[in-house]
Amino acid sequence: MLPGEAPAGRDADSRLFHTYKWQALEATFREVCSRFGVEEIRTPIFEDTALFHRSVGEATDIVAKETYDLEDRGGDSLTLRPEGTAGVMRAIVQHGLAGGQNVLLRLYYLNSHFRYERPQRGRYRQHHQVGVEYVGADDPMADVEVIALGMTYLREVGLDDVRLEINSVGTPTCRPVHREALRDHLRPHLAAMSEDSQRRFETNPLRILDSKDPRDQEFIEGAPAMIDYLDDEAAEHFAKVQAGLANLGIPFVVNRRLVRGLDYYQKTAFEVVHTALGSQNVVLGGGRYDGLLSALGGPAVGGVGFGSGVERALLILEQLERPIGARKLAQVYLVAREAGERATAQRVASELRAAGLRVDYDLQGRSQKAQLRAANNAGCGHVVFVRDDLPAGWVQLKNMADGEQAELAIADLATRLTTVYLSR
RNA sequence: GUGGGUGUAGCUCAGUCGGUUAGAGCGCCAGAUUGUGGCUCUGGAGGCCGAGGGUUCAAGUCCCUUUACCCACCCCA
C-alpha cells in the first residue's frame, strides 16, 4: 500500500460524489425513528475485543474469522465494531441506563461497522448500518413495533417490494431440546455433508439449517425445525407477534429455516429480503435478544432490534433505477469578467447567500461562456450579469428558462430572488 | 480464507505479432455562431500505461513480485 492510499475495502472514496443519496436515506431513517419516539445513541467505533466475543458469540463466523482486531499502545486488544447491538448494550450497562423498573429505551444508531473479510459488491470492510434497539420490553408488541418501524423505513426510502420473513429461534430452555433432536437427525448423514456443516454440528448445529451447500439440502429438508420445539412461552410469544403484524396489516411469511448469524437471538428472528440482489438479498435483519443485557452484567430485561445495511439499500435502489435525494446545486449564478465586476459579484453572492439562496460564481477566471455553461449545468433558474457598463448598483437578471432579462437594482435583488426560490 | 478477472487521460474504454511521437468518445478550456447558456463546428490542454524487478537492440504489450479494484464462494448487512 502506498502512503496516503486508502486501506482495502472501505469504499470511502467512491462515496464522495453521491453523498446526497446517503443524506436522503439518513434523513428518512431519522424522521421515521422520530415518529416512533426513538432517539439516537452514538457509541464508540471500537470496543474491547472481549465484548464482541461474549455477546456476538465465539462460534459465530463474525467472531471466528471476521472481526477487525487491533492492538493499542497499551497492549489492549480492541475490535472495530462488527455490528451495532453489542456496543449499545455495553453503554446501557455501563451507565445504568436500564437501571430502573419499567424503563424502556428506544434507541437508534446510524454508523460504521467493520468486518475483516474479502470485499465485494455491496459488502465492504467498512460498511454502514442503520438500526434500532428497544431495551426493556418483553412484550411481543415491541417486536411488532420494531418490525413496523423497519418496514416503514424501507417503504419510505423506496423499497416497498420486499418480503418479511419471520421465525422463532426459541429460548434457552427449549433450544437445547431441539438441538439434540437436530443432531440425532443429522448424525447418520454427517459424513456426506459439507465441511462447514460438520464443523457446526458441534459448535452451532442450528446454523446448518441455513446452509446453502447442495450436499446438505436433502438432509436439511426433513430436519426438525426449531419452531416445532418451542416451549409454551416461546410459542405464545411467536403467536402474538404474528397476530400483531396481522393487526397492522403487515404481510409476512413464516420461514421455518430462518436462522440469524449472531448467537444472542432468542424467540423472534426476522429478515426482510429483496430479490434484486441475488444471494445478498437481506436488506434488514433482526430479532429479540432477551438474555444479552444480563449476560453483560445488566438487569434481566428483554430487548429487540434490527440492523439494515445502508450500502445494500442504496445498491438495490440503484439497480432498480429508483432515485433517492437530489444534489442541491446553485439556484443563482453571478456572471462577471473584469476584476471590478468580480469583486462586486463576490459581495452580491455573499448578500444573497445570507438571504438563504444557493448562489455560485466563477472562481477560476473563466470566460463568460464558460460561466453561463456552468450556470446551465447546475440548473440555475437565474443568472445575474454584473457589469461595469451599467449604472452603479444595477445588474441584469436573466431567467434561464425563457431567456427574458431585465435590469434591476442590487438592493432589490435579494427580495426578488427569495420570492422565487424561498417562498412556498 | 478459496477460485477467477481487471488496472492505459478527470470518466468509460481501444491499443494487432513486442517496433517510430500512446488513441477515441464523453467531460474540461479557448474560439466561431446564437445578444449571453443549451444545439452545431474548429482548435487546445491533459498520460510515471497501478508500483517494483526481469527478459530484449526495443516493453503499455512477455515473465516474476507486489498492490488496488471487480466477480464468485464462504459468510453476512
Side-chain angles (χ1 to χ4, degrees):
Chain A
M1 187 196 312
L2 296 171
E5 206 174 302
R10 291 198 192 152
D11 189 44
D13 294 344
S14 66
R15 285 190 206 107
L16 209 58
F17 304 106
H18 54 256
T19 43
Y20 67 93
K21 295 182 180 179
W22 286 70
Q23 290 172 1
L25 182 144
E26 291 166 5
T28 299
F29 180 71
R30 291 182 193 279
E31 215 285 314
V32 170
C33 283
S34 72
R35 267 185 260 157
F36 279 76
V38 181
E39 293 185 284
E40 183 176 9
I41 183 171
R42 300 194 184 194
T43 59
I45 207 164
F46 54 75
E47 299 277 355
D48 190 83
T49 296
L51 172 69
F52 298 114
H53 287 245
R54 203 173 309 146
S55 62
V56 176
E58 292 287 353
T60 60
D61 286 292
I62 290 177
V63 164
K65 60 181 189 182
E66 291 178 10
T67 54
Y68 220 121
D69 299 327
L70 306 167
E71 185 175 300
D72 71 10
R73 289 170 188 272
D76 291 329
S77 179
L78 304 174
T79 295
L80 299 179
R81 63 179 165 225
E83 53 90 48
T85 302
V88 173
M89 295 307 125
R90 192 228 81 236
I92 289 172
V93 172
Q94 187 169 339
H95 301 290
L97 299 179
Q101 288 183 316
N102 289 326
V103 169
L104 172 62
L105 293 170
R106 289 175 293 184
L107 304 169
Y108 78 81
Y109 59 82
L110 197 162
N111 49 29
S112 298
H113 298 252
F114 303 82
R115 291 183 195 169
Y116 196 87
E117 59 182 349
R118 200 67 169 263
Q120 77 183 256
R121 188 168 177 77
R123 306 177 49 190
Y124 305 104
R125 285 182 170 179
Q126 173 174 352
H127 67 281
H128 297 76
Q129 288 183 32
V130 299
V132 306
E133 313 289 354
Y134 280 36
V135 178
D138 297 325
D139 195 299
M141 287 187 84
D143 305 43
V144 174
E145 185 85 341
V146 165
I147 292 172
L149 194 166
M151 297 302 279
T152 304
Y153 153 68
L154 290 176
R155 184 179 70 241
E156 297 196 6
V157 92
L159 295 173
D160 51 351
D161 42 355
V162 293
R163 184 173 72 248
L164 170 63
E165 299 186 352
I166 63 171
N167 193 21
S168 177
V169 293
T171 67
T173 55
C174 60
R175 191 138 41 163
V177 180
H178 169 253
R179 186 159 54 223
E180 285 320 307
L182 190 57
R183 283 202 177 112
D184 289 343
H185 173 85
L186 295 173
R187 191 171 287 110
H189 314 293
L190 207 51
M193 300 182 70
S194 68
E195 295 76 16
D196 279 332
S197 291
Q198 291 181 31
R199 176 172 54 82
R200 292 195 185 113
F201 184 81
E202 295 302 329
T203 58
N204 194 358
L206 200 59
R207 292 289 293 167
I208 296 178
L209 296 179
D210 206 29
S211 170
K212 284 149 203 136
D213 194 304
R215 288 171 292 177
D216 298 335
Q217 295 310 308
E218 62 171 304
F219 309 117
I220 294 174
E221 284 300 330
M226 182 66 238
I227 200 173
D228 296 322
Y229 286 77
L230 298 180
D231 57 26
D232 290 345
E233 182 193 352
E236 184 186 346
H237 189 97
F238 193 45
K240 284 184 176 174
V241 170
Q242 294 181 60
L245 291 172
N247 184 42
L248 293 184
I250 298 174
F252 64 91
V253 296
V254 175
N255 178 351
R256 297 162 59 88
R257 307 239 302 257
L258 175 62
V259 178
R260 306 242 65 230
L262 283 48
D263 280 359
Y264 52 61
Y265 286 110
Q266 295 183 22
K267 297 180 182 171
T268 313
F270 59 90
E271 289 183 347
V272 181
V273 303
H274 196 286
T275 51
L277 271 190
S279 61
Q280 301 172 30
N281 59 358
V282 179
V283 295
L284 185 150
R288 176 164 281 279
Y289 44 82
D290 286 348
L292 180 56
L293 206 64
S294 56
L296 296 175
V301 297
V304 56
F306 72 76
S308 177
V310 174
E311 283 88 346
R312 189 163 294 183
L314 290 175
L315 190 61
I316 294 173
L317 288 170
E318 191 176 317
Q319 288 188 352
L320 269 39
E321 295 181 356
R322 293 182 191 170
I324 175 170
R327 299 175 69 190
K328 290 193 170 180
L329 301 174
Q331 297 162 317
V332 177
Y333 200 100
L334 307 184
V335 173
R337 289 170 299 183
E338 304 306 320
E341 294 174 348
R342 297 184 71 206
T344 302
Q346 187 162 49
R347 199 185 69 242
V348 173
S350 179
E351 291 169 8
L352 296 180
R353 286 165 176 167
L357 293 159
R358 303 201 300 266
V359 181
D360 204 1
Y361 60 97
D362 177 71
L363 294 171
Q364 298 163 287
R366 294 180 297 173
S367 66
Q368 174 170 287
K369 183 188 185 74
Q371 294 180 41
L372 279 158
R373 188 163 52 232
N376 199 55
N377 289 344
C380 292
H382 286 84
V383 159
V384 176
F385 291 94
V386 179
R387 294 172 52 165
D388 283 345
D389 57 345
L390 291 173
W394 286 72
V395 292
Q396 280 183 330
L397 179 64
K398 171 168 181 163
N399 182 326
M400 291 292 276
D402 57 20
E404 293 293 313
Q405 65 184 58
E407 294 181 7
L408 194 70
I410 291 175
D412 298 329
L413 205 49
T415 306
R416 173 68 189 282
L417 290 170
T418 52
T419 57
V420 175
Y421 293 104
L422 302 181
S423 65
R424 192 166 301 177

